[in-house]
Amino acid sequence: AGRGERMKYRRLGKTDLKVSVVGVGTWQFGGDWGKDFDQREVDEILTRAKELGINLLDTAECYGPHHMSENFIGDFLSRDRREDWVIASKFGHQWHEQWENAWDAKQIRIQLEESLKALRTDYIDLYQFHSGSDEVFNNDEMWTMLDKQVQAGTIRNLGISIGSNRNIYQTDKAAELNAKAIQVVYNRLDQAPEEEVLPSCLKQELGVLARVPLASGYLSGKYKPGTVFSDKVRRNRDQDEINAKLKLVEE
């Protein structure tokens, strides 16, 4: 099949974004998953994604120090066509010398400027609240600042990437805050969003980005129960829980 002949596309909620049903998540480009990437490898992945008709890239301000993942993507975009891609990024943390939360409106404005610079673009298609508590979520100053950026065109659409896939509070507030998409953990091993989050998205006509679709690799078929992970993300998880999930996969 030619480029994208088999890929399906959907409008993301009430946005005007036409996105491929499969996107490329880029947390791994920041080095947290046990492998360091270089620009050549990133180029190969994104070139192959484009050949397959994928146009959605999801990244974040804290995927690697100093906007590492966004910088890799920006370097690639500078040699490709920006308008061919839908770029989703996130806000709420900063990782300069060390990783830390940064939920103040002024800090987020700086993160946005840094993300635009790293991505080598003058707009972000979907800018998402990144796994914050309800306490930091309820910040009028933050949402007012973001709304002004939407009006200015530096942000095309706002979204909410919920930390807990049962966070119905933030999901229910989306339309009110002019957020048009929810990002949530959803896969064969974790279908909790079906209970409340997805029905709320339907009701509000929100787009849904399902993250961790392969359950952190457990659904890839590469791992057997008893596997011990050494990367920065999975090594901190409960081993019994990992084994239980990998047993389910075998079944």
Side-chain angles (χ1 to χ4, degrees):
R3 180 193 170 271
E5 220 170 276
R6 294 178 182 169
M7 183 54 66
K8 292 177 181 171
Y9 300 88
R10 290 191 192 136
R11 187 163 63 94
L12 189 65
K14 285 182 176 173
T15 73
D16 57 2
L17 302 172
K18 186 185 174 193
V19 298
S20 50
V21 294
V22 177
V24 178
T26 62
W27 186 2
Q28 69 277 18
F29 293 169
D32 280 338
W33 288 83
K35 172 179 164 50
D36 291 328
F37 285 79
D38 61 30
Q39 190 63 52
R40 182 187 57 79
E41 291 170 308
V42 170
D43 287 357
E44 284 175 2
I45 290 166
L46 300 186
T47 300
R48 182 64 183 137
K50 193 171 191 178
E51 284 169 5
L52 294 168
I54 291 171
N55 72 345
L56 174 64
L57 299 181
D58 183 73
T59 186
E61 78 295 11
C62 60
Y63 289 172
H66 305 290
H67 296 262
M68 186 185 286
S69 174
E70 291 178 325
N71 271 305
F72 278 135
I73 293 166
D75 190 316
F76 172 81
L77 289 177
S78 72
R79 292 169 282 114
D80 201 74
R81 279 162 45 98
R82 165 68 180 93
E83 61 271 28
D84 290 349
W85 297 93
V86 172
I87 307 294
S89 195
K90 310 182 190 77
F91 63 86
H93 315 90
Q94 60 190 26
W95 188 354
H96 292 153
E97 300 321 309
Q98 61 190 47
W99 190 98
E100 55 194 344
N101 287 314
W103 291 108
D104 179 80
K106 289 189 185 74
Q107 291 175 309
I108 293 166
R109 182 69 206 274
I110 292 166
Q111 289 165 38
L112 174 61
E113 294 301 328
E114 288 180 354
S115 287
L116 290 166
K117 192 176 168 189
L119 289 163
R120 304 196 196 184
T121 183
D122 53 9
Y123 68 96
I124 290 172
D125 296 285
L126 181 67
Y127 200 46
Q128 304 160 100
F129 176 88
H130 194 184
S131 303
S133 66
D134 294 346
E135 188 184 355
V136 296
F137 181 83
N138 289 323
N139 178 348
D140 287 343
E141 193 190 352
M142 174 181 76
W143 292 108
T144 301
M145 181 277 293
L146 290 165
D147 193 50
K148 282 181 181 160
Q149 293 302 312
V150 172
Q151 289 167 33
T154 49
I155 298 169
R156 294 284 165 92
N157 302 278
L158 291 168
I160 301 164
S161 183
I162 55 178
S164 156
N165 57 1
R166 294 179 184 276
N167 193 322
I168 193 63
Y169 177 78
Q170 292 178 16
T171 305
D172 277 348
K173 284 256 188 196
E176 184 189 318
L177 296 166
N178 197 29
K180 295 180 178 174
I182 294 291
Q183 185 170 149
V184 61
V185 172
Y186 183 56
N187 56 56
R188 291 282 299 275
L189 296 177
D190 195 338
Q191 296 175 9
E194 291 176 7
E195 291 162 30
E196 289 186 297
V197 168
L198 296 183
S200 176
C201 291
L202 270 175
K203 193 170 144 195
Q204 299 176 79
E205 292 182 66
L206 304 174
V208 174
L209 279 71
R211 73 175 185 268
V212 200
L214 294 177
S216 303
Y218 305 154
L219 286 168
S220 66
K222 285 198 278 189
Y223 307 110
K224 298 273 177 278
T227 301
V228 176
F229 294 97
S230 59
D231 59 86
K232 289 180 192 169
V233 183
R234 291 173 293 193
R235 72 182 179 204
N236 299 320
R237 295 182 182 168
D238 181 76
Q239 190 62 43
D240 291 339
E241 207 175 295
I242 290 172
N243 289 337
K245 285 182 175 176
L246 290 171
K247 280 199 180 95
L248 272 176
V249 174
E250 281 194 326
E251 289 163 18

Coordinates of all heavy atoms in Angstrom, one line a residue, residues 218-249:
Y218 N 4.1 -4.4 28.4 CA 3.7 -5.7 28.8 C 2.9 -6.5 27.8 O 2.9 -7.7 27.7 CB 2.8 -5.6 30.1 CG 3.5 -4.9 31.3 CD1 2.7 -4.2 32.2 CD2 4.8 -4.8 31.4 CE1 3.2 -3.5 33.3 CE2 5.4 -4.1 32.4 CZ 4.6 -3.4 33.4 OH 5.2 -2.7 34.4
L219 N 2.1 -5.7 26.9 CA 1.3 -6.4 25.9 C 2.0 -6.7 24.6 O 1.5 -7.2 23.7 CB 0.1 -5.5 25.6 CG -1.0 -5.4 26.7 CD1 -2.0 -4.3 26.4 CD2 -1.8 -6.8 26.7
S220 N 3.3 -6.3 24.6 CA 4.1 -6.5 23.4 C 4.5 -7.9 23.1 O 4.9 -8.3 22.0 CB 5.4 -5.7 23.4 OG 6.3 -6.2 24.4
G221 N 4.3 -8.8 24.1 CA 4.7 -10.2 23.9 C 6.2 -10.4 24.1 O 6.7 -11.6 24.0
K222 N 6.9 -9.4 24.5 CA 8.4 -9.5 24.6 C 8.8 -10.0 26.0 O 9.9 -10.4 26.2 CB 9.1 -8.2 24.4 CG 9.1 -7.7 22.9 CD 10.2 -6.7 22.7 CE 9.7 -5.3 23.0 NZ 10.6 -4.2 22.6
Y223 N 7.9 -9.9 27.0 CA 8.2 -10.1 28.4 C 7.4 -11.3 29.0 O 6.2 -11.4 28.8 CB 8.1 -8.9 29.2 CG 8.8 -7.7 28.6 CD1 8.1 -6.6 28.1 CD2 10.2 -7.6 28.6 CE1 8.7 -5.5 27.5 CE2 10.8 -6.5 28.0 CZ 10.1 -5.5 27.5 OH 10.8 -4.4 27.0
K224 N 8.1 -12.1 29.8 CA 7.4 -13.2 30.5 C 7.4 -12.8 32.0 O 8.2 -12.0 32.5 CB 8.3 -14.4 30.4 CG 8.4 -14.9 28.9 CD 7.2 -15.8 28.5 CE 7.2 -16.2 27.1 NZ 6.7 -15.2 26.1
P225 N 6.4 -13.4 32.8 CA 6.4 -13.2 34.2 C 7.8 -13.5 34.8 O 8.5 -14.4 34.4 CB 5.4 -14.2 34.7 CG 4.5 -14.5 33.6 CD 5.4 -14.3 32.3
G226 N 8.2 -12.6 35.8 CA 9.5 -12.8 36.4 C 10.5 -11.8 35.8 O 11.6 -11.6 36.3
T227 N 10.2 -11.1 34.7 CA 11.0 -10.1 34.1 C 11.3 -9.0 35.1 O 10.3 -8.5 35.7 CB 10.4 -9.5 32.8 OG1 10.2 -10.6 31.9 CG2 11.3 -8.5 32.2
V228 N 12.5 -8.6 35.3 CA 12.9 -7.5 36.2 C 13.4 -6.4 35.3 O 14.3 -6.5 34.5 CB 13.9 -7.9 37.2 CG1 14.3 -6.7 38.0 CG2 13.4 -9.0 38.1
F229 N 12.7 -5.2 35.4 CA 13.0 -4.0 34.6 C 14.1 -3.1 35.3 O 14.0 -2.9 36.5 CB 11.8 -3.2 34.3 CG 10.8 -4.0 33.4 CD1 9.7 -4.7 33.9 CD2 11.0 -4.0 32.0 CE1 8.9 -5.4 33.1 CE2 10.1 -4.7 31.2 CZ 9.0 -5.4 31.7
S230 N 15.0 -2.6 34.5 CA 16.0 -1.7 35.1 C 15.8 -0.2 34.7 O 16.6 0.6 35.1 CB 17.4 -2.2 34.7 OG 17.5 -2.2 33.3
D231 N 14.9 0.1 33.8 CA 14.7 1.4 33.3 C 14.1 2.3 34.4 O 13.6 1.8 35.4 CB 13.8 1.5 32.1 CG 12.4 0.9 32.3 OD1 11.6 1.7 32.8 OD2 12.3 -0.3 32.1
K232 N 14.2 3.6 34.3 CA 13.8 4.5 35.3 C 12.3 4.5 35.6 O 11.9 4.9 36.7 CB 14.2 6.0 34.9 CG 15.7 6.2 35.0 CD 15.9 7.7 34.6 CE 17.4 7.9 34.3 NZ 17.7 9.2 33.7
V233 N 11.5 4.0 34.7 CA 10.0 4.1 34.9 C 9.5 2.8 35.6 O 8.9 2.8 36.6 CB 9.3 4.3 33.5 CG1 7.8 4.4 33.8 CG2 9.8 5.6 32.9
R234 N 9.9 1.6 34.9 CA 9.3 0.4 35.4 C 10.0 -0.2 36.6 O 9.4 -1.0 37.3 CB 9.2 -0.6 34.2 CG 8.2 -0.2 33.2 CD 8.3 -1.1 31.9 NE 9.6 -1.0 31.2 CZ 9.8 -1.5 30.0 NH1 8.8 -2.1 29.4 NH2 11.0 -1.3 29.4
R235 N 11.2 0.1 36.9 CA 11.9 -0.5 38.0 C 11.3 -0.1 39.4 O 11.5 -0.8 40.3 CB 13.4 -0.1 38.0 CG 13.7 1.3 38.3 CD 15.2 1.7 38.2 NE 15.5 3.0 38.6 CZ 16.5 3.7 38.2 NH1 17.4 3.1 37.4 NH2 16.7 5.0 38.5
N236 N 10.6 1.0 39.4 CA 9.9 1.4 40.7 C 8.6 0.8 40.9 O 7.9 1.1 41.9 CB 9.8 3.0 40.7 CG 11.2 3.6 40.5 OD1 12.1 3.2 41.2 ND2 11.2 4.7 39.7
R237 N 8.1 0.0 40.0 CA 6.8 -0.6 40.1 C 6.8 -1.9 40.9 O 7.9 -2.6 41.0 CB 6.2 -0.8 38.7 CG 5.9 0.5 38.0 CD 5.3 0.3 36.7 NE 5.1 1.6 36.0 CZ 4.8 1.7 34.7 NH1 4.6 0.6 34.0 NH2 4.6 2.9 34.2
D238 N 5.7 -2.2 41.5 CA 5.6 -3.4 42.4 C 5.8 -4.7 41.5 O 5.1 -4.9 40.5 CB 4.3 -3.4 43.1 CG 4.1 -4.6 44.0 OD1 4.7 -4.6 45.1 OD2 3.4 -5.6 43.6
Q239 N 6.8 -5.5 41.9 CA 7.1 -6.7 41.1 C 6.0 -7.7 41.0 O 5.7 -8.3 39.9 CB 8.4 -7.4 41.6 CG 8.9 -8.5 40.7 CD 9.4 -8.0 39.3 OE1 10.0 -7.0 39.2 NE2 9.0 -8.7 38.3
D240 N 5.2 -7.9 42.1 CA 4.1 -8.8 42.1 C 3.0 -8.3 41.1 O 2.4 -9.1 40.4 CB 3.4 -8.9 43.5 CG 4.4 -9.6 44.5 OD1 5.3 -10.4 43.9 OD2 4.2 -9.5 45.7
E241 N 2.8 -7.0 41.0 CA 1.9 -6.4 40.1 C 2.3 -6.6 38.7 O 1.5 -7.0 37.8 CB 1.7 -4.9 40.4 CG 0.4 -4.3 40.0 CD 0.3 -2.8 40.5 OE1 0.4 -2.5 41.7 OE2 0.2 -2.0 39.6
I242 N 3.6 -6.4 38.4 CA 4.1 -6.6 37.1 C 3.9 -8.1 36.7 O 3.4 -8.4 35.6 CB 5.6 -6.3 37.0 CG1 5.9 -4.8 37.1 CG2 6.3 -6.8 35.7 CD1 7.3 -4.4 37.3
N243 N 4.2 -9.0 37.6 CA 4.1 -10.5 37.3 C 2.6 -10.8 37.0 O 2.3 -11.6 36.1 CB 4.6 -11.3 38.4 CG 6.2 -11.3 38.5 OD1 6.8 -10.9 37.5 ND2 6.7 -11.5 39.6
A244 N 1.7 -10.2 37.8 CA 0.3 -10.5 37.6 C -0.2 -10.1 36.2 O -0.9 -10.8 35.5 CB -0.5 -9.8 38.7
K245 N 0.3 -8.9 35.8 CA -0.1 -8.4 34.5 C 0.5 -9.2 33.4 O -0.2 -9.5 32.4 CB 0.4 -6.9 34.3 CG -0.5 -5.9 35.1 CD -0.1 -4.5 35.0 CE -1.2 -3.6 35.7 NZ -0.8 -2.2 35.6
L246 N 1.8 -9.6 33.5 CA 2.4 -10.4 32.5 C 1.8 -11.8 32.4 O 1.7 -12.4 31.3 CB 3.9 -10.5 32.7 CG 4.7 -9.2 32.5 CD1 6.1 -9.3 32.9 CD2 4.6 -8.8 31.0
K247 N 1.3 -12.3 33.5 CA 0.5 -13.6 33.5 C -0.8 -13.5 32.7 O -1.2 -14.4 32.0 CB 0.2 -14.1 35.0 CG 1.4 -14.8 35.6 CD 1.0 -15.6 36.8 CE 2.2 -16.3 37.5 NZ 2.7 -15.5 38.6
L248 N -1.5 -12.4 32.9 CA -2.7 -12.1 32.2 C -2.5 -12.1 30.7 O -3.2 -12.6 29.9 CB -3.3 -10.7 32.6 CG -4.2 -10.7 33.8 CD1 -4.6 -9.2 34.1 CD2 -5.5 -11.5 33.6
V249 N -1.3 -11.5 30.3 CA -1.0 -11.4 28.9 C -0.8 -12.8 28.3 O -1.2 -13.1 27.2 CB 0.3 -10.6 28.7 CG1 0.7 -10.6 27.2 CG2 0.0 -9.1 29.1

